[in-house]
Amino acid sequence: MNAIEDKIENLKNIIKRNGDRITKPRLAVYEFLVSNQGHFSAQQIYNAIRETIPDITLATVYNVLRYLADIGVIQEIPTQTETLYDGTEVPHAHLICMECGKVQDVVAVNINPLIKAAKIYHWKLTQNPVSVFGICPECQKRSNGSLL
């Protein structure tokens, strides 16, 4: 089995443990996110999934994304313009541009202490615990803006 197949099997096990149904849309959305590096909008995911499930609706994609985020297998990233979704399972932070909405992963930051603290206090994290908002270099060049 390859890494993607392992992740899908893991998702199936989580869904079963929760007493929920394994559906084609859940598997397709999850497979898209773990197979593609990046941060995607619901519309982008819908456009990609529609090729394999032609009768899927955008509302179904939103419902699946909410479900997958609630069970903790994907991350929701709220930006200034829309919510993006990330299938990367390695804990990491995000830099989010307040002007263009660009999102950049930062894996060099150790967020594990925050995750452990949440568990100690019995918190269920529903979003990535570290998102830093600012202005990306491209937007700074366009507007002559500066950070801090």
Side-chain angles (χ1 to χ4, degrees):
M1 238 187 248
N2 69 32
I4 301 297
E5 290 170 345
D6 288 343
K7 290 176 183 181
I8 291 170
E9 282 305 310
N10 184 51
L11 173 65
K12 288 178 182 179
N13 291 331
I14 292 169
I15 292 172
K16 286 178 191 175
R17 274 197 309 268
N18 285 339
D20 297 326
R21 290 181 349 153
I22 297 170
T23 65
K24 281 175 77 172
R26 286 176 178 172
L27 297 178
V29 168
Y30 182 71
E31 183 174 0
F32 174 82
L33 285 169
V34 298
S35 298
N36 295 284
Q37 285 289 97
H39 309 96
F40 301 95
S41 69
Q43 183 70 53
Q44 290 171 315
I45 296 166
Y46 167 72
N47 292 341
I49 301 304
R50 229 177 27 186
E51 294 176 15
T52 56
I53 307 175
D55 59 340
I56 195 166
T57 65
L58 183 57
T60 298
V61 171
Y62 273 107
N63 290 335
V64 168
L65 290 166
R66 165 63 36 213
Y67 174 80
L68 295 175
D70 285 348
I71 65 171
V73 296
I74 66 167
Q75 294 180 29
E76 285 183 317
I77 308 162
T79 71
Q80 295 292 93
T81 56
E82 64 188 335
T83 299
L84 301 176
Y85 299 89
D86 183 348
T88 305
E89 58 190 27
V90 175
H92 61 281
H94 291 117
L95 297 175
I96 302 170
C97 181
M98 294 172 54
E99 298 210 2
C100 70
K102 174 183 176 181
V103 177
Q104 184 168 346
D105 287 344
V106 181
V107 293
V109 175
N110 184 3
I111 65 171
N112 287 326
L114 290 171
I115 294 169
K116 286 179 184 175
K119 286 181 182 178
I120 289 170
Y121 292 108
H122 307 289
W123 281 71
K124 176 185 174 192
L125 296 180
T126 57
Q127 294 182 15
N128 185 332
V130 179
S131 291
V132 178
F133 291 83
I135 301 171
C136 73
E138 292 81 18
C139 288
Q140 289 179 61
K141 288 177 190 171
R142 281 195 296 276
S143 66
N144 291 327
S146 64
L147 292 176
L148 305 177

